[in-house]
Amino acid sequence: MFTRRRMLGIGFAAGASALAYPTVLEPRWLDVTHTSLPNPHSAPTARILHLSDLHASWCVPWSLMEAAVRDGLAQHPDLICLTGDFVTDGLETDTNRYIRVLRTLSAAKPTFAVLGNHDGGSWSGERGGYSDYRAVERLLETAHVELLHNRSRQLDLASGRINLLGVGDYWSNEVDPRRAGQALVPTESTLALCHNPDAKDLLSPLPWQLMLCGHTHGGQVMIPFEGPRYAPVIDKRYVSGLNPYEDRYIYTTRGVGSLGGVRFGCRPEVTILEFPLLSR
């Protein structure tokens, strides 16, 4: 028999469940995605693990970051790329534990990173965060993660040689394509790392085939019939996933962490990409 008390109890439970899903369940429900770039010549490929927006903070548990690392490494990548926003408002966290998390990656495979707008610079400093990126730079260095801040380098993998190109944060006006491209070898396949996909036009003159980005959190909250509620980019074509740009591609991951600890219709992502290594 449905009494008034029972009906109220059912309503309360339904309301609690509705609140728990976007704040407790989905933000911790990792999605391991696999994407292969077009490879018409059947060239050998590099398997890339792409993680972004770890956002160490009160609302991103260690268990989520550790699970993302564990799930990513279980896919046996050749190369690991991290595209920024390691922190939110600063390293107000267990730095030693964070180093252990990142070192798990670098101990397994070559690991490279670029910085995001929360990691330091003018944008962050104006909002109470780091005015420079030395703290995050030290974190990465101690974890043996190589920072590509407006520079590039070659890397030999089992499947072939690859160029890696990384730039500074777009919102902090630290993208310097000229410096970043000085060491590029145009005959090799080139992978660009850039936190914010809106920087694509600045990098257009450089000879890359795939750019990896984060920053958007994939929209973080997807409203039915409206789309992403959180998408801090000008060009909304590059909010998430693999999308064409000119004669190449941009992949924007939904990221691991979040701002405010809320996700809806936009699960955190561990990204695996198969990137052809073409010599020209």
Side-chain angles (χ1 to χ4, degrees):
M1 180 177 180
F2 282 95
T3 63
R4 183 172 181 272
R5 178 177 294 179
R6 188 174 182 184
M7 289 295 291
L8 288 173
I10 292 172
F12 177 80
S17 297
L19 181 63
Y21 179 79
T23 59
V24 178
L25 297 178
E26 186 167 313
R28 293 161 174 76
W29 184 15
L30 285 167
D31 184 17
V32 180
T33 65
H34 292 78
T35 301
S36 295
L37 270 75
N39 189 3
H41 302 293
S42 300
T45 61
R47 174 168 282 207
I48 301 164
L49 168 58
H50 178 201
L51 299 175
S52 192
D53 299 275
L54 297 175
H55 274 294
S57 61
W58 63 268
C59 64
V60 180
W62 288 113
S63 59
L64 176 64
M65 287 195 273
E66 290 162 347
V69 167
R70 183 176 62 249
D71 291 353
L73 291 179
Q75 308 306 310
H76 306 292
D78 302 307
L79 171 67
I80 300 167
C81 297
L82 312 174
T83 52
D85 276 1
F86 294 92
V87 301
T88 299
D89 298 315
L91 277 171
E92 299 176 359
T93 185
D94 185 342
T95 304
N96 289 330
R97 189 168 184 177
Y98 207 165
I99 290 168
R100 290 197 298 272
V101 170
L102 295 175
R103 194 173 281 176
T104 302
L105 293 170
S106 62
K109 292 295 176 180
T111 305
F112 299 86
V114 293
L115 301 175
N117 53 292
H118 284 269
D119 294 326
S122 60
W123 185 92
S124 175
E126 290 167 2
R127 290 157 180 80
Y130 292 127
S131 58
D132 60 56
Y133 50 83
R134 285 178 293 181
V136 176
E137 186 179 39
R138 286 194 298 269
L139 172 75
L140 297 174
E141 183 179 5
T142 307
H144 303 153
V145 174
E146 185 171 341
L147 178 62
L148 297 176
H149 191 75
N150 291 316
R151 70 184 187 89
S152 55
R153 59 157 294 180
Q154 279 186 303
L155 184 67
D156 288 313
L157 302 173
S159 51
R161 183 171 293 177
I162 187 173
N163 280 321
L164 294 170
L165 156 73
V167 294
D169 177 58
Y170 180 66
W171 278 5
S172 296
N173 296 312
E174 292 196 5
V175 177
D176 190 337
R178 185 191 61 81
R179 282 180 54 205
Q182 282 179 345
L184 282 179
V185 180
T187 59
E188 307 295 342
S189 291
T190 299
L191 179 67
L193 309 184
C194 178
H195 180 65
N196 188 329
D198 275 344
K200 62 188 183 302
D201 294 334
L202 293 177
L203 298 180
S204 178
L206 298 177
W208 51 269
Q209 292 77 50
L210 172 64
M211 185 164 76
L212 302 183
C213 303
H215 183 62
T216 67
H217 305 176
Q220 193 165 308
V221 175
M222 303 296 286
I223 306 299
F225 308 110
E226 290 185 22
R229 180 55 59 90
Y230 173 88
V233 286
I234 295 171
D235 194 336
K236 298 298 193 288
R237 294 176 299 170
Y238 300 97
V239 170
S240 67
L242 184 70
N243 294 286
Y245 170 70
E246 297 178 340
D247 57 347
R248 40 198 155 173
Y249 292 91
I250 295 173
Y251 194 97
T252 309
T253 179
R254 300 191 298 269
V256 174
S258 62
L259 295 175
V262 177
R263 281 186 180 268
F264 183 75
C266 189
R267 289 166 58 190
E269 180 178 1
V270 174
T271 309
I272 300 294
L273 299 116
E274 298 286 346
F275 178 54
L277 300 181
L278 300 171
S279 293
R280 282 171 292 280

